[in-house]
């Protein structure tokens, strides 16, 4: 098995799911790999509402839904969840890049928000 999975299983990581839609993947990660903090980023209002509902129904305090129009992923984890200037250890962009007009810009933003050993 890979080092990333080993790190996620160990816990204590700060993770982001960018373009989370209804936060389904975020919730699956949180269930399968507890002990980490997860931020589910989305820009579309209907998807944000669905993500909030899904997270509330799941009852997982390790998952926070973030309106990416208000708090861009490039700023790092939201202030209430970590120190100013904090970075992400793991960022997932599942099924979102093909929907963007400038996916490279998002990747540059994500890269800037990653910890030195982040993935």
């Amino acid at each position: 098995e890979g080092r990333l999975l080993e790190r996620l299983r160990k816990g204590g990581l700060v993770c982001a799911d960018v373009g989370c839609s209804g936060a389904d993947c975020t919730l699956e990660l949180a269930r399968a790999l507890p002990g980490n903090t997860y931020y589910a980023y989305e820009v579309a209002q209907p998807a944000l509402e669905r993500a909030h509902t899904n997270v509330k129904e799941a009852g997982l305090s390790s998952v926070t839904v973030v309106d990416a129009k208000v708090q861009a992923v490039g700023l790092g984890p939201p202030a209430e969840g970590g120190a100013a200037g904090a970075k992400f250890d793991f960022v997932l962009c599942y099924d979102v890049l093909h929907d963007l007009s400038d996916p490279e810009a998002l990747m540059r933003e994500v890269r800037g928000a990653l910890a030195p050993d982040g993935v």
Side-chain angles (χ1 to χ4, degrees):
E1 295 185 1
R3 291 182 303 164
L4 175 59
L5 186 55
E6 182 180 311
R7 288 178 64 199
L8 286 164
R9 284 183 175 152
K10 183 178 178 184
L13 300 185
V14 178
C15 309
D17 180 3
V18 179
C20 73
S21 189
D24 298 312
C25 287
T26 319
L27 290 169
E28 288 301 318
L29 282 169
R31 287 183 191 108
L33 300 161
N36 300 300
T37 302
Y38 297 91
Y39 294 97
Y41 285 82
E42 182 55 61
V43 295
Q45 193 59 42
L48 275 167
E49 291 169 10
R50 191 168 65 253
H52 280 289
T53 298
N54 290 345
V55 169
K56 183 178 179 181
E57 288 177 358
L60 295 175
S61 63
S62 62
V63 179
T64 301
V65 177
V66 181
D67 184 339
K69 296 181 304 296
V70 176
Q71 171 80 28
V73 70
L75 297 175
E80 68 267 18
K87 301 283 187 174
F88 291 107
D89 299 298
F90 174 68
V91 177
L92 173 68
C93 297
Y94 176 74
D95 199 29
V96 67
L97 295 176
H98 67 278
D99 291 327
L100 303 176
S101 61
D102 189 359
E104 293 87 1
L106 176 61
M107 290 290 82
R108 285 189 296 274
E109 187 176 344
V110 165
R111 180 63 192 115
L114 278 174
D117 61 346
V119 177

